[in-house]
Amino acid sequence: MRKCIREYVEENPDSPVGQLEACCRGNVGFVFTNGDLGDIRAVLESNVRPAPARVGAVAPIDVIVPKGPTGCDPGQTAFFQTLQIQTKITRGQIEMTSDTHLITQGEKVTASQAALLQKLSIEPFTYGMVLKQVYDSGSLFDAKVLDITDDVLAAKFVAALNAISKLSLALNMPTEASVTHSVANAFKAILSITVELENYTFDKAEIYKAYLADPSAFAGSGGGGGGGGGGEEAAAEEEAPPEEEEAPPAVDMFGGAGDDGDY
């Protein structure tokens, strides 16, 4: 495969295919597709098969043998003792009394460990394809780029936008990111002055001034009480206004939900 790529590049010096030659090392393969790369990776990684532990192989994961009957006859007790595995004889067969951490990830599999797993008919590893790199439009990328989804990009963009708006407000330098915060802060400043003035107001401030003048007018109606109330209470309820004004709506002072701080 490397020879084919090398000869093609010699005939086409300007071709970016030459960078694929370095990828052709070891047990590799190429998958050609016009489909979504994320879906292709999911299909490749979902098609795996169990594989036995071979002597000398590096363990990709930790291997823990569960406790319970092994199906081995009592004459093989010495084999388990060699591996320092606690056992007992139950109903004519060897039974492991506790879970055993047999192989640690990154270590090489020994002959005794491989023999034990074979006796117990355990295939602890898996065999399948793992996507390493992506070649697209003449560029070679690490497969990690497929982990970048639209949600990840949106979260990064929102975080950067919040940082810009906070920096702009701190430097007193208006930007598109901070203008909503600036308008909200200006409204707060104007409102705080207006509610203290008797001879000046504006439409949006009327409801706040009314609330400060008589907060009881905005109190929610109470729940119904128990039966047997007196006539005076009934009369008081009839004299109450038929409709009560709602409390003034809350104002978003920060231009968006989830933005902490005084900006």
Side-chain angles (χ1 to χ4, degrees):
M1 192 178 293
R2 290 196 302 271
K3 180 181 178 182
C4 295
I5 296 175
R6 192 180 306 114
E7 292 178 352
Y8 179 82
V9 173
E10 290 176 356
E11 297 175 0
N12 304 273
D14 296 332
S15 175
V17 178
Q19 56 190 322
L20 295 177
E21 182 180 354
C23 301
C24 300
R25 304 285 180 181
N27 188 17
V28 299
F30 289 92
V31 177
F32 298 90
T33 179
N34 291 326
D36 183 82
L37 296 178
D39 295 340
I40 298 300
R41 181 176 67 169
V43 171
L44 292 176
E45 295 182 349
S46 63
N47 286 273
V48 295
R49 295 183 179 276
R54 302 186 183 278
V55 179
V58 177
I61 58 173
D62 291 342
V63 177
I64 298 177
V65 180
K67 64 180 180 180
T70 63
C72 300
D73 60 85
Q76 303 182 48
T77 304
F79 179 77
F80 288 87
Q81 292 176 348
T82 303
L83 294 173
Q84 299 180 352
I85 299 176
Q86 297 181 357
T87 60
K88 66 179 181 179
I89 306 300
T90 304
R91 296 180 180 179
Q93 64 175 334
I94 299 175
E95 179 179 340
M96 296 174 56
T97 58
S98 61
D99 295 343
T100 301
H101 192 163
L102 187 64
I103 306 175
T104 302
Q105 180 180 359
E107 294 183 352
K108 289 186 177 182
V109 180
T110 64
S112 299
Q113 293 169 342
L116 175 61
L117 293 173
Q118 185 177 4
K119 286 180 180 293
L120 300 179
S121 299
I122 295 177
E123 295 181 335
F125 306 143
T126 56
Y127 178 81
M129 299 182 68
V130 178
L131 191 61
K132 292 294 186 182
Q133 291 180 311
V134 177
Y135 178 82
D136 184 25
S137 303
S139 300
L140 193 64
F141 306 98
D142 191 277
K144 293 180 180 179
V145 299
L146 300 181
D147 295 330
I148 304 176
T149 62
D150 292 342
D151 293 338
V152 173
L153 293 176
K156 294 291 185 182
F157 177 79
V158 171
L161 196 62
N162 288 336
I164 293 174
S165 63
K166 292 177 181 179
L167 184 62
S168 300
L169 291 172
L171 297 176
N172 198 23
M173 182 182 297
T175 63
E176 292 184 7
S178 66
V179 65
T180 54
H181 305 280
S182 299
V183 171
N185 289 336
F187 176 76
K188 287 166 55 180
I190 295 173
L191 181 64
S192 63
I193 296 174
T194 302
V195 296
E196 298 294 335
L197 300 177
E198 296 181 356
N199 299 325
Y200 175 79
T201 186
F202 58 94
D203 292 343
K204 297 296 183 180
E206 285 292 344
I207 192 170
Y208 297 95
K209 297 186 73 172
Y211 177 77
L212 293 176
D214 185 12
S216 61
F218 295 87
S221 58
E232 296 181 359
E233 293 181 0
E237 289 179 359
E238 292 177 358
E239 294 176 0
E243 279 191 11
E244 296 182 352
E245 299 183 26
E246 298 181 355
V251 177
D252 184 0
M253 299 299 181
F254 306 106
D259 198 12
D260 300 331
D262 296 331
Y263 298 112

